[in-house]
Amino acid sequence: MSWLVQPTLVNEPFSDPGLFIDFRFGRRALLFDLGDLTPLSPRQLLRVTHGFVSHTHMDHFAGFDRLLRVCLHRAAPLHLVGPAGFADRVEHRLNSYTLNLLDAQSVDFAIIASEFNGAGFDRICEFRARKAFRRHDLPEALRSPGPLLDEDEFRIDGAMLDHGIPCLAFALTEKLRVNVWREGLRQLGLPVGPWLREAKRAVRQGAPDDRQISIRDDLSVPLGVLRQGALRTARGQKIAYIVDIAYHQRNVEKAIALARDADQLFIEAPFLQVDVDFAARRRHLTARQAGDIARRAHVARLIPFHFSARYREREDELRREAETAFSAASACDWTL
Ligand SMILES: [Zn+2]
């Protein structure tokens, strides 16, 4: 089975945090956090439809400029989501530029900045190039409660955590993986083609077996035949991303709930446990705490990152500490 998306850390673990989530098919990508985006090519950045920003400390948001620079003449909008106060931050960044060259003939690139409170959106603002990116608040009706993003093939949930300031964590869940079994297709005498996209969508949406899938003008096949002979389904993957959180019970419970049963958990592990007091003052996790959260959330794979520069020569220790806590037996639970 092939995944819908492929997540990759933007930088090495001592540099700015950020996850580039590339879609295997279709020219599209998502970003969790907008820190230093230098390693990403313009071609990659142009695919980004949505950027989810945990909070606007510089190492999570300084890449906004580069993303704007690359996307400025793009027709498709850029959706950005952050915690309370995020729309103001976006507005300030846009206001820092001289925009006199933008006019009614410019490509009308739009940024839609939304503020998520953990359960729904408090504010959605639009900034359009043809209006020199002046802020325009969108109507109340758009602020419905629910996940951060809900599409045919995947959903993104968010949790509001505490980092001394509000900080969002994210989880992408693929709804259902639908793959084509080529041998089955051959046995049915059907060609590979764009029609398979429609067939997969119909399966994902739970369409009935008698739904006719059009292969070409003079040929269509019931979905049930494809289901039985040429399409394979499985649970989609889940990818969670948690950075910059204090280690206290409420945070940990929310983090575990968000990351539960994830196939991959990308989680900050900035400090060693020996420096736990310093980590607590900075409202960050230790590697052991990160591994503990991963274990209690029953994730399949732990990817610790966002390491503090003070351990640049001790990366192995950070990884080992996280891994040891992750693989510890449940009996070793320590209390908060
Ligand atoms: Zn921070």
Side-chain angles (χ1 to χ4, degrees):
M1 297 296 283
S2 62
W3 303 117
L4 174 70
V5 297
Q6 175 73 46
T8 314
L9 286 172
V10 176
N11 295 293
E12 51 89 13
F14 288 96
S15 298
D16 289 359
L19 195 66
F20 183 71
I21 299 176
D22 210 2
F23 284 64
R24 283 173 57 90
F25 307 104
R27 288 182 296 244
R28 184 176 184 189
L30 310 172
L31 273 168
F32 287 170
D33 271 340
L34 307 179
D36 182 0
L37 299 178
T38 312
L40 298 175
S41 67
R43 190 185 277 256
Q44 287 174 306
L45 291 173
L46 280 168
R47 292 209 291 273
V48 173
T49 59
H50 293 70
F52 299 89
V53 178
S54 60
H55 61 303
T56 49
H57 280 161
M58 221 175 160
D59 52 336
H60 301 258
F61 193 48
F64 172 86
D65 287 346
R66 179 161 149 77
L67 187 57
L68 172 64
R69 177 74 190 87
V70 169
C71 295
L72 187 56
H73 302 294
R74 182 176 92 174
L78 173 66
H79 297 264
L80 299 177
V81 179
F86 182 67
D88 289 344
R89 301 281 177 270
V90 171
E91 184 178 22
H92 292 321
R93 298 299 287 270
L94 290 166
N95 280 344
S96 72
Y97 292 102
T98 305
L99 298 165
N100 63 306
L101 296 180
L102 294 177
D103 58 27
Q105 271 66 52
S106 305
V107 175
D108 201 16
F109 175 60
I111 295 174
I112 294 102
S114 308
E115 295 181 3
F116 189 72
N117 60 22
F121 292 100
D122 286 331
R123 176 177 287 163
I124 302 178
C125 301
E126 185 183 62
F127 304 87
R128 302 199 77 97
R130 286 189 185 173
K131 294 184 174 165
F133 291 117
R134 274 190 303 280
R135 173 178 173 151
H136 171 63
D137 280 60
L138 293 177
E140 195 79 30
L142 290 168
R143 299 173 199 169
S144 55
L148 285 171
L149 188 60
D150 194 2
E151 298 196 3
D152 278 358
E153 295 179 311
F154 70 95
R155 189 183 77 234
I156 295 184
D157 293 294
M160 177 59 72
L161 301 174
D162 165 36
H163 174 44
I165 54 171
C167 183
L168 293 172
F170 310 111
L172 180 149
T173 307
E174 296 177 12
K175 288 186 176 172
L176 186 66
R177 287 157 63 199
V178 184
N179 283 83
V180 177
W181 184 43
R182 287 195 177 232
E183 178 57 23
L185 210 57
R186 195 189 62 75
Q187 285 174 15
L188 290 171
L190 298 172
V192 173
W195 65 272
L196 282 165
R197 187 179 287 262
E198 189 204 336
K200 287 178 170 186
R201 185 176 298 130
V203 170
R204 240 179 258 115
Q205 291 171 343
D209 279 349
D210 59 1
R211 162 84 63 87
Q212 292 293 316
I213 302 295
S214 172
I215 291 165
R216 52 174 195 259
D217 286 350
D218 59 345
L219 177 64
S220 61
V221 175
L223 185 60
V225 171
L226 298 170
R227 263 201 185 104
Q228 206 162 20
L231 299 175
R232 294 285 175 270
T233 59
R235 183 184 75 88
Q237 70 175 330
K238 178 174 175 178
I239 298 158
Y241 176 92
I242 299 172
V243 289
D244 292 38
I245 64 166
Y247 190 70
H248 56 64
Q249 188 160 352
R250 200 167 149 67
N251 256 2
V252 170
E253 282 170 4
K254 284 188 186 176
I256 289 171
L258 182 78
R260 189 173 303 286
D261 297 324
D263 297 273
Q264 301 187 65
L265 169 61
F266 294 84
I267 186 166
E268 70 154 1
F271 299 103
L272 287 170
Q273 189 67 22
V274 68
D275 295 319
V276 64
D277 293 340
F278 185 75
R281 283 200 297 277
R282 304 293 298 262
R283 308 286 200 280
H284 276 289
L285 298 178
T286 65
R288 187 165 96 176
Q289 291 164 349
D292 178 50
I293 289 170
R295 180 179 53 75
R296 291 167 63 189
H298 301 286
V299 308
R301 185 167 168 235
L302 161 71
I303 301 104
F305 74 114
H306 201 6
F307 299 154
S308 165
R310 62 167 57 197
Y311 306 108
R312 196 165 269 283
E313 306 306 320
R314 302 167 73 185
E315 181 176 345
D316 286 354
E317 286 179 63
L318 285 165
R319 291 190 182 282
R320 206 176 315 125
E321 187 175 288
E323 194 55 43
T324 302
F326 178 46
S327 51
S330 300
C332 295
D333 264 7
W334 54 78
T335 49
L336 282 161

